[in-house]
Amino acid sequence: MDLVRHLRYFVVIAEELHFGNAAARLGMAQPPLSQRVKRLEDELGVRLFDRTSRQVRLTDAGRLLLPEARDLVARAERIRELMARTVRGDTASLRAAVPPDLGASVLAALIARFRAGHPDVRLTPAEMGTSDQVDALLGGELDLGVLRHPVAASGLGFGPILVQHPGVLLREEDELAGLATVHLADLAGRELVLPPRALEPGLHDETLAGCRRYGFVPAEVRHAVHGQFTIGLVLAGSAVAFGRSADVPGVAWRPLAGSPLVWRTSTAWRGEPSEHVAGFADLTTRVLREDAGMSDEGASPRTWVAPRPATGFLS
Amino acid sequence: MRQLEQIFRTAGVTGWLHAVDIDTGREVGLGADEPVVLASVFKVPLLVAFYRQAERGLIDPAERVTVSPEGRAGGGTGVSAMLDEVTASLRDLAYLMISVSDNASADTLLARVGLDEVNAALADLGLSHTWVEHSCADLFTAMREDARAADMAELSQMTTDPAVLSRLRVLDPARTSRGTCRDMTRLLGMIWRDEAAGSASCAAVRRLMGLQVWPHRLASGFPYDDVAVSGKTGTLPTIRNEVGVIEYPDGGRYAIAVFTRSIGTAQNQPRADAVIGTAARVAVDHLRAPFMGTGPI
């Protein structure tokens, strides 16, 4: 029997718990669907559904089977997709994504160095925020991501986590530009430009939490996806931003005293990385280190977690 | 954008919710049928299974048992946090399991009731999307294995690391104790209508859920002296849940299940805790509002 196909029928029925609805979703008639389930039950030697006149319920065996079946059906689909790509002749392609604010020179260095090392692999770069990357990686639409932590996603593998301590970008006329370093608390009352929360939820929240902790409650938070827009808002004098030094006339960059903010970046992939993916991940990590001012230093800034009963595991 | 989704998003979490009027069946939900990680919420089905077995004469709730300190499941509350041997009745251990989510008490009860029996009770109640996969101790073992931590102390320092979190099986509904919001509110409805077991047993379960001490989740949305909140929380790294029943002085009673997963990995998630109360309140207000439809908010 075609086990995968039968398992797919099973999964759909288990989701619908209704044979008529499941048949409709599968685009088939109900009697053959019932027969196939019967065949699957015979093959496995268990009953998968309890059927009464009014309702369909999973048996214990059915419940055990469901996550396994989902997994197998998804894997089979991935195999088909992979083989279809082989037929199209684009196995040696790599779909990679980087955050929109990575910077033109870093992106250029990344692509140039990859091409030099792998002239036979077609690289498809895309610009994507962390949340979209997570979705695309888990959905199999992306081979490698460069994303901002923290992300809470099951099933992703990460390269070494690199750390960046952003400084502050100010308008040159800002009185704080006269100081060698700026304390976060000095920024009190100013507006702040951040990447949109929907794009970078982890970085957005951790940065704001860090600001509040060190005495900077922004008068307003403005959202900008691209570096140019951010610089525009800073130049207009209405806001400050965090990041690397920008070589733009009229904008001053100052380090933050005590490096209170930590931005963490790493490569990411789903499951076991292929040779190309692993190679590109290593290369990316090197480029981020050498060209984007990120470092391994204290890369796992594992802050001490003081135990509290109300937040303990299984509380 | 739908209001509930917006509320969860603003708090930095992904949220699932189902709320239902226990007496009229009027309901509201968000992802109510999607599988969610139960975490400690599994202690409610365990408690129900415990009393159902007691009704069949298989367990004496007043039987005194001794829980030795060796091999006890860890935790910051109840018997888990105590240093010495503890002797108490099974039903008083059940009290600790629900009121302060004591893991050692839960595992003692689970050893008596049996994992299969808990799942059989769930199936018998028609809660086909709910499944209890492991004891507290086994769940911790799975976490330590996945995180490659030597002991619980090390584990608790590792779970803010996204790379560690992405490896944890216990955060994947397919591989740990799981349920759906709708299954949970159905279970609560049956407990409050005396259908989950005999009326004395259901009353005992309701009493324990009313003795839960935590004020920071569901209860925070209903800060009124004349509103009763009974519930059971669930907590794992990035996961904050509570299921419970809200009872108003006019007799209105609402079963509600809120499950969240935070984007941030900090162990302290005050906004995730609070949004459980906020979202529950919005849902209950919706159910109590006259002349409004059911369905999505």
Side-chain angles (χ1 to χ4, degrees):
Chain A
M1 82 187 294
D2 180 345
L3 183 63
V4 174
R5 178 190 296 193
H6 283 76
L7 288 175
R8 192 170 147 252
Y9 295 147
F10 162 74
V11 168
V12 173
I13 301 168
E15 282 168 3
E16 297 289 336
L17 290 179
H18 189 286
F19 275 76
N21 294 352
R25 217 173 107 186
L26 288 161
M28 61 195 291
Q30 193 177 328
L33 181 61
S34 300
Q35 282 166 20
R36 299 239 159 86
V37 171
K38 178 80 179 46
R39 217 177 296 158
L40 180 63
E41 289 179 328
D42 291 346
E43 172 82 18
L44 300 175
V46 290
R47 291 225 352 271
L48 297 170
F49 296 102
D50 280 326
R51 278 179 269 183
T52 64
S53 54
R54 285 192 300 134
Q55 61 173 345
V56 178
R57 275 165 39 173
L58 278 172
T59 62
D60 289 348
R63 249 191 305 271
L64 273 179
L65 178 61
L66 186 55
E68 301 293 331
R70 273 203 183 111
D71 194 43
L72 197 61
V73 170
R75 273 160 184 265
E77 271 160 21
R78 285 208 291 277
I79 288 173
R80 282 207 189 90
E81 161 66 17
L82 191 64
M83 291 303 107
R85 279 167 63 188
T86 314
V87 171
R88 293 198 298 270
D90 60 353
T91 41
S93 79
L94 199 140
R95 300 159 299 176
V98 298
D101 61 337
L102 188 66
S105 62
V106 180
L107 180 63
L110 194 58
I111 295 172
R113 285 172 65 171
F114 182 75
R115 280 205 188 124
H118 304 84
D120 52 326
V121 180
R122 199 158 59 92
L123 179 67
T124 317
E127 187 182 39
M128 230 184 254
T130 294
S131 0
D132 292 340
Q133 286 191 35
V134 169
D135 291 345
L137 285 166
L138 293 174
E141 294 139 30
L142 189 65
D143 300 308
L144 184 84
V146 176
L147 44 72
R148 256 64 190 268
H149 289 281
V151 288
S154 293
L156 293 188
F158 300 116
I161 292 185
L162 300 176
V163 164
Q164 178 186 10
H165 295 289
V168 61
L169 294 160
L170 304 150
R171 196 161 69 127
E172 223 159 44
E173 294 81 37
D174 194 308
E175 54 181 21
L176 293 176
L179 305 171
T181 58
V182 173
H183 286 269
L184 269 180
D186 295 340
L187 299 172
R190 285 175 174 72
E191 296 179 0
L192 173 66
V193 192
L194 278 178
R197 187 149 199 291
L199 228 59
E200 300 291 345
L203 176 134
H204 183 277
D205 286 6
E206 282 208 342
T207 304
L208 271 185
C211 289
R212 287 197 199 99
R213 181 167 185 168
Y214 293 99
F216 171 34
V217 182
E220 192 87 50
V221 177
R222 309 256 170 232
H223 291 130
V225 178
H226 297 281
Q228 287 301 316
F229 192 73
T230 306
I231 297 290
L233 290 173
V234 172
L235 273 176
S238 56
V240 298
F242 297 126
R244 298 178 67 204
S245 162
D247 210 0
V248 179
V251 175
W253 180 88
R254 295 290 174 269
L256 287 168
S259 305
L261 299 179
V262 183
W263 286 358
R264 288 172 285 164
T265 304
S266 85
T267 52
W269 54 83
R270 185 185 67 182
E272 282 297 309
S274 71
E275 193 191 321
H276 284 321
V277 170
F280 188 52
D282 285 348
L283 173 71
T284 307
T285 303
R286 276 203 304 280
V287 170
L288 291 177
R289 244 185 234 138
E290 291 162 18
D291 298 327
M294 301 186 191
S295 79
D296 287 304
E297 204 181 325
S300 207
R302 235 172 237 164
T303 50
W304 161 248
V305 181
R308 297 185 190 180
T311 61
F313 304 144
L314 285 182
S315 61
Chain B
M1 172 141 332
R2 302 196 317 179
Q3 196 186 348
L4 281 174
E5 223 167 318
Q6 184 64 47
I7 288 171
F8 284 126
R9 185 181 291 252
T10 308
V13 304
T14 310
W16 296 263
L17 178 150
H18 189 246
V20 59
D21 184 321
I22 289 176
D23 302 299
T24 67
R26 195 175 178 188
E27 60 175 337
V28 62
L30 176 70
D33 298 301
E34 290 175 26
V36 290
V37 170
L38 288 181
S40 282
V41 170
F42 94 87
K43 290 162 186 168
V44 178
L46 169 56
L47 181 65
V48 170
F50 168 76
Y51 273 109
R52 283 164 66 99
Q53 284 202 357
E55 286 173 358
R56 285 155 59 198
L58 300 173
I59 283 179
D60 172 11
E63 179 194 331
R64 294 175 71 76
V65 293
T66 297
V67 190
S68 90
E70 283 85 43
R72 247 167 14 201
T77 60
V79 175
S80 284
M82 295 181 190
L83 298 176
D84 301 312
E85 198 172 84
V86 172
T87 301
S89 68
L90 286 170
R91 62 186 176 190
D92 282 347
L93 292 179
Y95 154 70
L96 289 173
M97 166 176 87
I98 298 297
S99 63
V100 293
S101 206
D102 177 12
N103 298 325
S105 291
D107 278 4
T108 306
L109 253 61
L110 186 59
R112 275 304 174 90
V113 175
L115 204 54
D116 292 345
E117 286 298 316
V118 177
N119 285 315
L122 284 164
D124 194 50
L125 293 168
L127 305 172
S128 60
H129 301 287
T130 306
W131 182 260
V132 178
E133 181 79 24
H134 29 216
S135 66
C136 300
D138 288 347
L139 183 148
F140 289 150
T141 303
M143 282 178 82
R144 281 199 306 270
E145 282 171 6
D146 295 345
R148 299 192 269 281
D151 53 32
M152 290 304 287
E154 190 186 3
L155 179 68
S156 63
Q157 296 302 320
M158 292 176 80
T159 52
T160 52
D161 181 343
V164 171
L165 290 184
S166 78
R167 297 200 300 266
L168 295 185
R169 279 170 283 173
V170 302
L171 303 184
D172 178 0
R175 293 185 288 176
T176 186
S177 299
R178 58 190 162 271
T180 61
C181 292
R182 189 186 302 276
D183 261 10
M184 289 303 106
T185 55
R186 283 182 63 199
L187 177 60
L188 294 168
M190 287 188 275
I191 294 168
W192 256 255
R193 289 188 305 261
D194 287 347
E195 295 164 8
S199 58
S201 298
C202 285
V205 173
R206 291 196 295 270
R207 170 180 170 266
L208 294 187
M209 291 186 72
L211 289 172
Q212 188 189 223
V213 300
W214 311 120
H216 56 328
R217 296 192 186 158
L218 267 190
S220 71
F222 304 89
Y224 309 111
D225 286 349
D226 56 356
V227 174
V229 180
S230 309
K232 180 70 202 82
T233 55
T235 310
L236 279 173
T238 70
I239 285 177
R240 302 289 182 272
N241 308 327
E242 188 162 355
V243 307
V245 168
I246 315 296
E247 294 169 276
Y248 277 71
D250 62 4
R253 39 187 204 162
Y254 312 90
I256 184 147
V258 189
F259 288 76
T260 71
R261 179 143 193 207
S262 64
I263 292 149
T265 58
Q267 192 63 32
N268 279 285
Q269 296 278 355
R271 293 199 305 158
D273 293 326
V275 79
I276 292 175
T278 312
R281 175 65 183 282
V282 167
V284 168
D285 281 354
H286 181 78
L287 295 179
R288 286 175 65 77
F291 315 119
M292 282 178 74
T294 61
I297 298 181

